[in-house]
Amino acid sequence: MTSDAAADAATLRDIAQTAGAWPFEEARKVVARLQKSGKRTALFETGYGPSGLPHIGTFGEVARTSMVRRAFRMLTGDTIPTRLVAFSDDMDGLRKVPDNVPNKEMVARHLGKPLTQVPDPFGTHDSFGAHNNARLRAFLDAFGFDYEFMSSTECYKAGRFDAALLLMLERYEAVMAIMLPSLREERARSYSPFLPIHPETGIVMQVPIDETRPGSGTIVWRDPDTGKRFETPVTGGHVKLQWKPDWAMRWVALGVDYEMAGKDLIDSVKLSGQIARALDATPPEGFNYELFLDESGQKISKSKGNGLTIEDWLTYGSPESLALFMYNKPREAKRLHFDVIPRQVDDYLQFLDGFTRQDDKQRLSNPVWHIHGGSPPPPETVAQAGTNTGTTISFSMLLNLVAVANSEDKAVLWGFLRRYAPSISPQTHPRLDALVGYAIAYFRDFVKPAKSYRAPDEVERAAFQRLDAALAALPADATAETVQDAALDVARTVPRYQNPNAKGATPERPGVSGDWWKAVYQVLFGEDQGPRFGSFAAIYGLADTRALIRKALAGELIAEHARFMDARKAS
């Protein structure tokens, strides 16, 4: 690193000390923790229950934790090594047969066994746990996360948890005193933090413990079916802990410094934290993020299926837009539904476009800094032929382009884009190409069925006819600004659309109210809002925009949409 680069890095690090973005606030807690403990490494952890497949919440937790880790590295100048562990609780006993697996009868014969001892119903791995772990790793790898995978089964069997397990056995009464008040009376009568693995059946046993023997590192218990007594070591993978004591034990054994959790686990975090303290350790830093809501404001439930999957989102929006959704206000409940995707896509593009014009302080508060680990890519801008000013093509713009082009063929959409900017292509603008695909899919499934075209009234009809004439008077390669000004000049002549209170308005040149653009969107696009008209018309082409106006005035847009809706109902 050159001296200038080192100075720039130091300056950025100084700015980061007071940066207001939430990942920096969280990272500062880890910095203070390590300063107090003297520890010279930082371990960040996320947990995963491999009885099911990774989902959008898994992505959110790993993405958010990665953001905090990156902020920590900035705050410390990368002088403290960091690790992100994706921990799989694959030694947990299988409680029920999942709905979405084949060979259910075969799986049912192994209920109660650790997931890594249940045969893989898909037939691709040594166990069901190994299958789901592979899915988790492929999932995380697909998003480019920097992480270290860790298996509960491997940690237990390799002795990595032995010291912490023996300490928990020694502090057994203290752990029970923490857990029992949180349990129902019936549950409390049989509760033990240790779940022995039955040496004959391999089942994770939920049984009372008759005797603890810290001196020999064992527990004594009885098989409720046979009455046979067993003495089982708590080390070497012969037991599994109940999940709250297990969480605490893992924090202690691995030295976890940071782990976040959902708001529904607040009480669990508190109990696990108390157990960690009973084991002479300090619980990790972290925070409780809010849960997602469906379109009706109800909590999303995997069993109800009332939310989006990762696949759903990535059908209609980019991974970066999903990361932005996770970045924004993690402590507030947010609706996770299809209608949030377009806004997230366009917001991401705006943040990326603005990054290049920001100073260092502003950049550290820009979501794209955190989404891209401190190094966001340059925005893909498009310059109209004959101009040097590049602009970003928005998702909303593409949705309307798909609508008026009446085509779900990417080549057709690229025809309009290349007519506007001949030098661009899917090869030079791969992110724009992906955006075109997202727009086609989203328009087909959500926008087109929801459109509601209306006929113009007499005042609007006259205004649209003047707009048609104004566009006819412009050169075919008129810039977006020229087209926008022409549309504004048309509206200035219509009393309904005049706004004398607009900034810069004069009696001779009144401002234009939003009612003009609302009329344009409702009549031409079948929506209440849309892209900047001048930019849209410049890309779509003035001749085609004029043809669109004439179709609207003739009632053809309303008729076409009615035929589409009739066909949709019939199918």
Side-chain angles (χ1 to χ4, degrees), residues 25 111 407 459 512:
E25 293 177 352
L111 285 175
S407 175
V459 172
V512 175

Side-chain angles (χ1 to χ4, degrees), residues 279-356:
L279 302 181
D280 301 328
T282 302
E285 305 300 322
F287 76 94
N288 294 101
Y289 52 82
E290 260 290 2
L291 305 179
F292 299 129
L293 308 176
D294 65 13
E295 59 181 330
S296 302
Q298 301 299 309
K299 187 177 79 169
I300 282 178
S301 165
K302 286 188 288 184
S303 60
K304 291 181 181 177
N306 60 336
L308 266 68
T309 66
I310 283 279
E311 292 76 15
D312 288 335
W313 189 293
L314 297 182
T315 299
Y316 308 109
S318 63
E320 293 82 8
S321 66
L322 177 57
L324 175 62
F325 182 81
M326 297 300 175
Y327 172 88
N328 286 331
K329 301 177 180 178
R331 293 182 180 88
E332 295 183 13
K334 295 183 292 186
R335 291 195 317 131
L336 178 58
H337 197 254
F338 292 103
D339 58 3
V340 309
I341 296 176
R343 175 65 180 271
Q344 296 301 310
V345 173
D346 274 344
D347 282 355
Y348 167 76
L349 294 174
Q350 290 177 10
F351 283 125
L352 189 63
D353 184 60
F355 187 82
T356 57

Side-chain angles (χ1 to χ4, degrees), residues 203-466:
I203 290 175
V204 181
M205 301 297 293
Q206 300 244 7
V207 293
I209 300 302
D210 292 344
E211 187 181 349
T212 61
R213 297 177 175 175
S216 60
T218 59
I219 54 175
V220 179
W221 57 280
R222 189 183 304 271
D223 185 326
D225 294 328
T226 67
K228 186 175 180 180
R229 281 168 58 89
F230 295 92
E231 182 174 357
T232 299
V234 299
T235 55
H238 294 97
V239 304
K240 168 75 168 65
L241 290 179
Q242 299 269 13
W243 84 269
K244 289 166 190 167
D246 186 87
W247 204 7
M249 181 276 298
R250 187 196 317 162
W251 290 343
V252 175
L254 300 180
V256 177
D257 296 297
Y258 188 88
E259 182 165 4
M260 61 179 67
K263 188 178 180 180
D264 55 334
L265 296 180
I266 288 177
D267 290 339
S268 300
V269 171
K270 290 179 180 177
L271 286 171
S272 295
Q274 292 174 30
I275 295 172
R277 292 186 182 92
L279 302 181
D280 301 328
T282 302
E285 305 300 322
F287 76 94
N288 294 101
Y289 52 82
E290 260 290 2
L291 305 179
F292 299 129
L293 308 176
D294 65 13
E295 59 181 330
S296 302
Q298 301 299 309
K299 187 177 79 169
I300 282 178
S301 165
K302 286 188 288 184
S303 60
K304 291 181 181 177
N306 60 336
L308 266 68
T309 66
I310 283 279
E311 292 76 15
D312 288 335
W313 189 293
L314 297 182
T315 299
Y316 308 109
S318 63
E320 293 82 8
S321 66
L322 177 57
L324 175 62
F325 182 81
M326 297 300 175
Y327 172 88
N328 286 331
K329 301 177 180 178
R331 293 182 180 88
E332 295 183 13
K334 295 183 292 186
R335 291 195 317 131
L336 178 58
H337 197 254
F338 292 103
D339 58 3
V340 309
I341 296 176
R343 175 65 180 271
Q344 296 301 310
V345 173
D346 274 344
D347 282 355
Y348 167 76
L349 294 174
Q350 290 177 10
F351 283 125
L352 189 63
D353 184 60
F355 187 82
T356 57
R357 298 187 296 274
Q358 292 177 323
D359 60 29
D360 287 339
K361 182 177 181 180
Q362 293 170 325
R363 287 182 173 185
L364 294 183
S365 294
N366 188 324
V368 299
W369 190 93
H370 301 274
I371 290 169
H372 293 286
S375 301
E380 286 186 352
T381 57
V382 174
Q384 185 177 3
T387 69
N388 296 319
T389 304
T391 59
T392 299
I393 304 296
S394 70
F395 192 58
S396 59
M397 172 78 74
L398 290 174
L399 287 175
N400 281 284
L401 187 60
V402 175
V404 299
N406 196 29
S407 175
E408 296 179 10
D409 185 345
K410 287 178 75 172
V412 172
L413 276 297
W414 267 102
F416 288 106
L417 294 171
R418 295 195 68 175
R419 184 174 65 183
Y420 173 76
S423 64
I424 68 172
S425 69
Q427 291 71 41
T428 62
H429 287 63
R431 278 178 278 148
L432 176 58
D433 185 52
L435 204 63
V436 171
Y438 297 139
I440 289 172
Y442 194 88
F443 175 80
R444 176 192 64 226
D445 295 340
F446 299 105
V447 177
K448 191 172 184 179
K451 280 185 174 290
S452 180
Y453 292 93
R454 69 170 179 82
D457 61 26
E458 289 307 309
V459 172
E460 291 167 337
R461 177 174 292 275
F464 280 118
Q465 287 171 340
R466 286 199 291 276

